mmCIF file with all atom_site columns, all heavy atoms in Angstrom:
data_model
loop_
_atom_site.group_PDB
_atom_site.id
_atom_site.type_symbol
_atom_site.label_atom_id
_atom_site.label_alt_id
_atom_site.label_comp_id
_atom_site.label_asym_id
_atom_site.label_entity_id
_atom_site.label_seq_id
_atom_site.pdbx_PDB_ins_code
_atom_site.Cartn_x
_atom_site.Cartn_y
_atom_site.Cartn_z
_atom_site.occupancy
_atom_site.B_iso_or_equiv
_atom_site.pdbx_formal_charge
_atom_site.auth_seq_id
_atom_site.auth_comp_id
_atom_site.auth_asym_id
_atom_site.auth_atom_id
_atom_site.pdbx_PDB_model_num
ATOM 1   N N   . PRO A 1 204 ? -3.419  22.918 -2.326  1.00 0.00 ? 1620 PRO A N   1
ATOM 2   C CA  . PRO A 1 204 ? -3.817  21.597 -2.010  1.00 0.00 ? 1620 PRO A CA  1
ATOM 3   C C   . PRO A 1 204 ? -2.690  20.568 -2.132  1.00 0.00 ? 1620 PRO A C   1
ATOM 4   O O   . PRO A 1 204 ? -1.774  20.869 -2.924  1.00 0.00 ? 1620 PRO A O   1
ATOM 5   C CB  . PRO A 1 204 ? -4.982  21.314 -3.018  1.00 0.00 ? 1620 PRO A CB  1
ATOM 6   C CG  . PRO A 1 204 ? -4.692  22.351 -4.136  1.00 0.00 ? 1620 PRO A CG  1
ATOM 7   C CD  . PRO A 1 204 ? -3.962  23.394 -3.571  1.00 0.00 ? 1620 PRO A CD  1
ATOM 8   N N   . GLY A 1 205 ? -2.843  19.400 -1.498  1.00 0.00 ? 1621 GLY A N   1
ATOM 9   C CA  . GLY A 1 205 ? -1.768  18.411 -1.634  1.00 0.00 ? 1621 GLY A CA  1
ATOM 10  C C   . GLY A 1 205 ? -2.572  17.018 -1.663  1.00 0.00 ? 1621 GLY A C   1
ATOM 11  O O   . GLY A 1 205 ? -3.626  16.866 -1.092  1.00 0.00 ? 1621 GLY A O   1
ATOM 12  N N   . ILE A 1 206 ? -1.787  16.041 -2.145  1.00 0.00 ? 1622 ILE A N   1
ATOM 13  C CA  . ILE A 1 206 ? -2.432  14.692 -2.134  1.00 0.00 ? 1622 ILE A CA  1
ATOM 14  C C   . ILE A 1 206 ? -1.441  13.750 -1.640  1.00 0.00 ? 1622 ILE A C   1
ATOM 15  O O   . ILE A 1 206 ? -0.161  13.807 -1.913  1.00 0.00 ? 1622 ILE A O   1
ATOM 16  C CB  . ILE A 1 206 ? -2.795  14.267 -3.628  1.00 0.00 ? 1622 ILE A CB  1
ATOM 17  C CG1 . ILE A 1 206 ? -3.854  15.207 -4.252  1.00 0.00 ? 1622 ILE A CG1 1
ATOM 18  C CG2 . ILE A 1 206 ? -3.282  12.862 -3.687  1.00 0.00 ? 1622 ILE A CG2 1
ATOM 19  C CD1 . ILE A 1 206 ? -4.205  14.926 -5.723  1.00 0.00 ? 1622 ILE A CD1 1
ATOM 20  N N   . TYR A 1 207 ? -1.939  12.786 -0.791  1.00 0.00 ? 1623 TYR A N   1
ATOM 21  C CA  . TYR A 1 207 ? -1.001  11.730 -0.163  1.00 0.00 ? 1623 TYR A CA  1
ATOM 22  C C   . TYR A 1 207 ? -1.640  10.396 -0.415  1.00 0.00 ? 1623 TYR A C   1
ATOM 23  O O   . TYR A 1 207 ? -2.777  10.101 0.000   1.00 0.00 ? 1623 TYR A O   1
ATOM 24  C CB  . TYR A 1 207 ? -0.998  12.135 1.274   1.00 0.00 ? 1623 TYR A CB  1
ATOM 25  C CG  . TYR A 1 207 ? -0.206  11.221 2.272   1.00 0.00 ? 1623 TYR A CG  1
ATOM 26  C CD1 . TYR A 1 207 ? 1.241   11.057 1.958   1.00 0.00 ? 1623 TYR A CD1 1
ATOM 27  C CD2 . TYR A 1 207 ? -0.736  10.600 3.318   1.00 0.00 ? 1623 TYR A CD2 1
ATOM 28  C CE1 . TYR A 1 207 ? 1.974   10.312 2.838   1.00 0.00 ? 1623 TYR A CE1 1
ATOM 29  C CE2 . TYR A 1 207 ? -0.007  9.844  4.205   1.00 0.00 ? 1623 TYR A CE2 1
ATOM 30  C CZ  . TYR A 1 207 ? 1.475   9.782  3.951   1.00 0.00 ? 1623 TYR A CZ  1
ATOM 31  O OH  . TYR A 1 207 ? 2.244   9.003  4.768   1.00 0.00 ? 1623 TYR A OH  1
ATOM 32  N N   . THR A 1 208 ? -0.862  9.504  -1.078  1.00 0.00 ? 1624 THR A N   1
ATOM 33  C CA  . THR A 1 208 ? -1.451  8.178  -1.452  1.00 0.00 ? 1624 THR A CA  1
ATOM 34  C C   . THR A 1 208 ? -0.573  7.097  -0.839  1.00 0.00 ? 1624 THR A C   1
ATOM 35  O O   . THR A 1 208 ? 0.508   7.103  -0.691  1.00 0.00 ? 1624 THR A O   1
ATOM 36  C CB  . THR A 1 208 ? -1.597  7.985  -2.999  1.00 0.00 ? 1624 THR A CB  1
ATOM 37  O OG1 . THR A 1 208 ? -0.164  8.246  -3.519  1.00 0.00 ? 1624 THR A OG1 1
ATOM 38  C CG2 . THR A 1 208 ? -2.457  9.039  -3.604  1.00 0.00 ? 1624 THR A CG2 1
ATOM 39  N N   . GLY A 1 209 ? -1.364  5.933  -0.414  1.00 0.00 ? 1625 GLY A N   1
ATOM 40  C CA  . GLY A 1 209 ? -0.775  4.812  0.070   1.00 0.00 ? 1625 GLY A CA  1
ATOM 41  C C   . GLY A 1 209 ? -1.184  3.654  -0.782  1.00 0.00 ? 1625 GLY A C   1
ATOM 42  O O   . GLY A 1 209 ? -1.676  3.706  -1.862  1.00 0.00 ? 1625 GLY A O   1
ATOM 43  N N   . TRP A 1 210 ? -0.804  2.421  -0.228  1.00 0.00 ? 1626 TRP A N   1
ATOM 44  C CA  . TRP A 1 210 ? -1.055  1.128  -0.934  1.00 0.00 ? 1626 TRP A CA  1
ATOM 45  C C   . TRP A 1 210 ? -2.482  0.967  -1.427  1.00 0.00 ? 1626 TRP A C   1
ATOM 46  O O   . TRP A 1 210 ? -2.919  0.452  -2.446  1.00 0.00 ? 1626 TRP A O   1
ATOM 47  C CB  . TRP A 1 210 ? -0.591  -0.054 -0.155  1.00 0.00 ? 1626 TRP A CB  1
ATOM 48  C CG  . TRP A 1 210 ? -0.809  -1.314 -0.861  1.00 0.00 ? 1626 TRP A CG  1
ATOM 49  C CD1 . TRP A 1 210 ? -1.721  -2.314 -0.685  1.00 0.00 ? 1626 TRP A CD1 1
ATOM 50  C CD2 . TRP A 1 210 ? 0.078   -1.908 -1.902  1.00 0.00 ? 1626 TRP A CD2 1
ATOM 51  N NE1 . TRP A 1 210 ? -1.543  -3.308 -1.563  1.00 0.00 ? 1626 TRP A NE1 1
ATOM 52  C CE2 . TRP A 1 210 ? -0.455  -3.137 -2.358  1.00 0.00 ? 1626 TRP A CE2 1
ATOM 53  C CE3 . TRP A 1 210 ? 1.328   -1.347 -2.462  1.00 0.00 ? 1626 TRP A CE3 1
ATOM 54  C CZ2 . TRP A 1 210 ? 0.124   -3.905 -3.272  1.00 0.00 ? 1626 TRP A CZ2 1
ATOM 55  C CZ3 . TRP A 1 210 ? 1.881   -2.166 -3.463  1.00 0.00 ? 1626 TRP A CZ3 1
ATOM 56  C CH2 . TRP A 1 210 ? 1.308   -3.437 -3.831  1.00 0.00 ? 1626 TRP A CH2 1
ATOM 57  N N   . GLY A 1 211 ? -3.465  1.710  -0.525  1.00 0.00 ? 1627 GLY A N   1
ATOM 58  C CA  . GLY A 1 211 ? -4.891  1.409  -0.827  1.00 0.00 ? 1627 GLY A CA  1
ATOM 59  C C   . GLY A 1 211 ? -5.169  2.220  -2.133  1.00 0.00 ? 1627 GLY A C   1
ATOM 60  O O   . GLY A 1 211 ? -6.356  1.967  -2.600  1.00 0.00 ? 1627 GLY A O   1
ATOM 61  N N   . ALA A 1 212 ? -4.302  3.134  -2.622  1.00 0.00 ? 1628 ALA A N   1
ATOM 62  C CA  . ALA A 1 212 ? -4.601  3.731  -3.910  1.00 0.00 ? 1628 ALA A CA  1
ATOM 63  C C   . ALA A 1 212 ? -3.699  3.348  -5.022  1.00 0.00 ? 1628 ALA A C   1
ATOM 64  O O   . ALA A 1 212 ? -3.707  3.904  -6.108  1.00 0.00 ? 1628 ALA A O   1
ATOM 65  C CB  . ALA A 1 212 ? -4.360  5.371  -3.610  1.00 0.00 ? 1628 ALA A CB  1
ATOM 66  N N   . VAL A 1 213 ? -3.182  2.144  -4.835  1.00 0.00 ? 1629 VAL A N   1
ATOM 67  C CA  . VAL A 1 213 ? -2.195  1.593  -5.695  1.00 0.00 ? 1629 VAL A CA  1
ATOM 68  C C   . VAL A 1 213 ? -2.782  1.321  -7.155  1.00 0.00 ? 1629 VAL A C   1
ATOM 69  O O   . VAL A 1 213 ? -2.156  1.297  -8.144  1.00 0.00 ? 1629 VAL A O   1
ATOM 70  C CB  . VAL A 1 213 ? -1.400  0.377  -5.344  1.00 0.00 ? 1629 VAL A CB  1
ATOM 71  C CG1 . VAL A 1 213 ? -2.346  -0.847 -5.310  1.00 0.00 ? 1629 VAL A CG1 1
ATOM 72  C CG2 . VAL A 1 213 ? -0.153  0.147  -5.996  1.00 0.00 ? 1629 VAL A CG2 1
ATOM 73  N N   . ASP A 1 214 ? -4.138  0.987  -7.233  1.00 0.00 ? 1630 ASP A N   1
ATOM 74  C CA  . ASP A 1 214 ? -4.801  0.854  -8.400  1.00 0.00 ? 1630 ASP A CA  1
ATOM 75  C C   . ASP A 1 214 ? -5.549  1.845  -8.915  1.00 0.00 ? 1630 ASP A C   1
ATOM 76  O O   . ASP A 1 214 ? -6.352  1.753  -9.915  1.00 0.00 ? 1630 ASP A O   1
ATOM 77  C CB  . ASP A 1 214 ? -5.740  -0.448 -8.341  1.00 0.00 ? 1630 ASP A CB  1
ATOM 78  C CG  . ASP A 1 214 ? -4.886  -1.847 -7.968  1.00 0.00 ? 1630 ASP A CG  1
ATOM 79  O OD1 . ASP A 1 214 ? -3.727  -1.932 -8.452  1.00 0.00 ? 1630 ASP A OD1 1
ATOM 80  O OD2 . ASP A 1 214 ? -5.302  -2.628 -7.201  1.00 0.00 ? 1630 ASP A OD2 1
ATOM 81  N N   . ALA A 1 215 ? -5.347  3.112  -8.211  1.00 0.00 ? 1631 ALA A N   1
ATOM 82  C CA  . ALA A 1 215 ? -6.150  4.238  -8.503  1.00 0.00 ? 1631 ALA A CA  1
ATOM 83  C C   . ALA A 1 215 ? -5.231  5.314  -9.143  1.00 0.00 ? 1631 ALA A C   1
ATOM 84  O O   . ALA A 1 215 ? -5.653  6.477  -9.130  1.00 0.00 ? 1631 ALA A O   1
ATOM 85  C CB  . ALA A 1 215 ? -6.918  4.703  -7.256  1.00 0.00 ? 1631 ALA A CB  1
ATOM 86  N N   . MET A 1 216 ? -4.179  4.875  -9.624  1.00 0.00 ? 1632 MET A N   1
ATOM 87  C CA  . MET A 1 216 ? -3.225  5.881  -10.147 1.00 0.00 ? 1632 MET A CA  1
ATOM 88  C C   . MET A 1 216 ? -3.751  6.895  -11.340 1.00 0.00 ? 1632 MET A C   1
ATOM 89  O O   . MET A 1 216 ? -3.507  8.076  -11.170 1.00 0.00 ? 1632 MET A O   1
ATOM 90  C CB  . MET A 1 216 ? -2.030  5.016  -10.770 1.00 0.00 ? 1632 MET A CB  1
ATOM 91  C CG  . MET A 1 216 ? -0.972  5.974  -11.314 1.00 0.00 ? 1632 MET A CG  1
ATOM 92  S SD  . MET A 1 216 ? 0.419   5.177  -12.115 1.00 0.00 ? 1632 MET A SD  1
ATOM 93  C CE  . MET A 1 216 ? 1.138   4.522  -10.612 1.00 0.00 ? 1632 MET A CE  1
ATOM 94  N N   . GLU A 1 217 ? -4.631  6.422  -12.179 1.00 0.00 ? 1633 GLU A N   1
ATOM 95  C CA  . GLU A 1 217 ? -5.018  7.161  -13.347 1.00 0.00 ? 1633 GLU A CA  1
ATOM 96  C C   . GLU A 1 217 ? -5.965  8.302  -12.843 1.00 0.00 ? 1633 GLU A C   1
ATOM 97  O O   . GLU A 1 217 ? -5.865  9.395  -13.158 1.00 0.00 ? 1633 GLU A O   1
ATOM 98  C CB  . GLU A 1 217 ? -5.735  6.459  -14.278 1.00 0.00 ? 1633 GLU A CB  1
ATOM 99  C CG  . GLU A 1 217 ? -4.831  5.371  -15.042 1.00 0.00 ? 1633 GLU A CG  1
ATOM 100 C CD  . GLU A 1 217 ? -3.585  6.105  -15.678 1.00 0.00 ? 1633 GLU A CD  1
ATOM 101 O OE1 . GLU A 1 217 ? -3.868  7.166  -16.336 1.00 0.00 ? 1633 GLU A OE1 1
ATOM 102 O OE2 . GLU A 1 217 ? -2.484  5.768  -15.570 1.00 0.00 ? 1633 GLU A OE2 1
ATOM 103 N N   . ILE A 1 218 ? -6.930  7.857  -11.843 1.00 0.00 ? 1634 ILE A N   1
ATOM 104 C CA  . ILE A 1 218 ? -7.759  8.920  -11.311 1.00 0.00 ? 1634 ILE A CA  1
ATOM 105 C C   . ILE A 1 218 ? -7.087  9.912  -10.458 1.00 0.00 ? 1634 ILE A C   1
ATOM 106 O O   . ILE A 1 218 ? -7.450  11.123 -10.380 1.00 0.00 ? 1634 ILE A O   1
ATOM 107 C CB  . ILE A 1 218 ? -9.004  8.223  -10.719 1.00 0.00 ? 1634 ILE A CB  1
ATOM 108 C CG1 . ILE A 1 218 ? -10.115 9.460  -10.323 1.00 0.00 ? 1634 ILE A CG1 1
ATOM 109 C CG2 . ILE A 1 218 ? -8.632  7.429  -9.449  1.00 0.00 ? 1634 ILE A CG2 1
ATOM 110 C CD1 . ILE A 1 218 ? -10.700 10.283 -11.498 1.00 0.00 ? 1634 ILE A CD1 1
ATOM 111 N N   . VAL A 1 219 ? -6.034  9.392  -9.658  1.00 0.00 ? 1635 VAL A N   1
ATOM 112 C CA  . VAL A 1 219 ? -5.361  10.414 -8.939  1.00 0.00 ? 1635 VAL A CA  1
ATOM 113 C C   . VAL A 1 219 ? -4.538  11.405 -9.671  1.00 0.00 ? 1635 VAL A C   1
ATOM 114 O O   . VAL A 1 219 ? -4.527  12.582 -9.306  1.00 0.00 ? 1635 VAL A O   1
ATOM 115 C CB  . VAL A 1 219 ? -4.355  9.638  -7.934  1.00 0.00 ? 1635 VAL A CB  1
ATOM 116 C CG1 . VAL A 1 219 ? -3.342  10.619 -7.241  1.00 0.00 ? 1635 VAL A CG1 1
ATOM 117 C CG2 . VAL A 1 219 ? -5.054  8.742  -6.943  1.00 0.00 ? 1635 VAL A CG2 1
ATOM 118 N N   . LYS A 1 220 ? -4.050  10.960 -10.840 1.00 0.00 ? 1636 LYS A N   1
ATOM 119 C CA  . LYS A 1 220 ? -3.415  11.922 -11.826 1.00 0.00 ? 1636 LYS A CA  1
ATOM 120 C C   . LYS A 1 220 ? -4.355  12.844 -12.302 1.00 0.00 ? 1636 LYS A C   1
ATOM 121 O O   . LYS A 1 220 ? -3.993  14.165 -12.350 1.00 0.00 ? 1636 LYS A O   1
ATOM 122 C CB  . LYS A 1 220 ? -2.718  11.044 -12.932 1.00 0.00 ? 1636 LYS A CB  1
ATOM 123 C CG  . LYS A 1 220 ? -1.462  10.376 -12.671 1.00 0.00 ? 1636 LYS A CG  1
ATOM 124 C CD  . LYS A 1 220 ? -0.676  9.868  -13.844 1.00 0.00 ? 1636 LYS A CD  1
ATOM 125 C CE  . LYS A 1 220 ? -1.494  8.824  -14.716 1.00 0.00 ? 1636 LYS A CE  1
ATOM 126 N NZ  . LYS A 1 220 ? -0.577  8.346  -15.802 1.00 0.00 ? 1636 LYS A NZ  1
ATOM 127 N N   . LYS A 1 221 ? -5.584  12.445 -12.502 1.00 0.00 ? 1637 LYS A N   1
ATOM 128 C CA  . LYS A 1 221 ? -6.714  13.578 -13.009 1.00 0.00 ? 1637 LYS A CA  1
ATOM 129 C C   . LYS A 1 221 ? -6.834  14.424 -12.025 1.00 0.00 ? 1637 LYS A C   1
ATOM 130 O O   . LYS A 1 221 ? -7.011  15.707 -12.267 1.00 0.00 ? 1637 LYS A O   1
ATOM 131 C CB  . LYS A 1 221 ? -7.864  12.762 -13.377 1.00 0.00 ? 1637 LYS A CB  1
ATOM 132 C CG  . LYS A 1 221 ? -7.918  12.010 -14.709 1.00 0.00 ? 1637 LYS A CG  1
ATOM 133 C CD  . LYS A 1 221 ? -9.286  11.526 -15.015 1.00 0.00 ? 1637 LYS A CD  1
ATOM 134 C CE  . LYS A 1 221 ? -9.330  10.737 -16.419 1.00 0.00 ? 1637 LYS A CE  1
ATOM 135 N NZ  . LYS A 1 221 ? -10.715 10.162 -16.519 1.00 0.00 ? 1637 LYS A NZ  1
ATOM 136 N N   . ILE A 1 222 ? -7.111  14.072 -10.701 1.00 0.00 ? 1638 ILE A N   1
ATOM 137 C CA  . ILE A 1 222 ? -7.342  15.022 -9.629  1.00 0.00 ? 1638 ILE A CA  1
ATOM 138 C C   . ILE A 1 222 ? -6.123  15.853 -9.432  1.00 0.00 ? 1638 ILE A C   1
ATOM 139 O O   . ILE A 1 222 ? -6.350  17.177 -9.149  1.00 0.00 ? 1638 ILE A O   1
ATOM 140 C CB  . ILE A 1 222 ? -7.800  14.333 -8.408  1.00 0.00 ? 1638 ILE A CB  1
ATOM 141 C CG1 . ILE A 1 222 ? -9.212  13.557 -8.577  1.00 0.00 ? 1638 ILE A CG1 1
ATOM 142 C CG2 . ILE A 1 222 ? -7.843  15.195 -7.260  1.00 0.00 ? 1638 ILE A CG2 1
ATOM 143 C CD1 . ILE A 1 222 ? -9.497  12.626 -7.451  1.00 0.00 ? 1638 ILE A CD1 1
ATOM 144 N N   . ALA A 1 223 ? -4.892  15.315 -9.364  1.00 0.00 ? 1639 ALA A N   1
ATOM 145 C CA  . ALA A 1 223 ? -3.768  16.221 -9.150  1.00 0.00 ? 1639 ALA A CA  1
ATOM 146 C C   . ALA A 1 223 ? -3.616  17.289 -10.262 1.00 0.00 ? 1639 ALA A C   1
ATOM 147 O O   . ALA A 1 223 ? -3.258  18.376 -9.968  1.00 0.00 ? 1639 ALA A O   1
ATOM 148 C CB  . ALA A 1 223 ? -2.603  15.326 -9.127  1.00 0.00 ? 1639 ALA A CB  1
#
Side-chain angles (χ1 to χ4, degrees):
I1622 300 175
Y1623 181 58
T1624 57
W1626 182 260
V1629 74
D1630 295 321
M1632 181 182 286
E1633 293 306 314
I1634 185 60
V1635 172
K1636 286 196 291 186
K1637 284 185 178 181
I1638 293 175

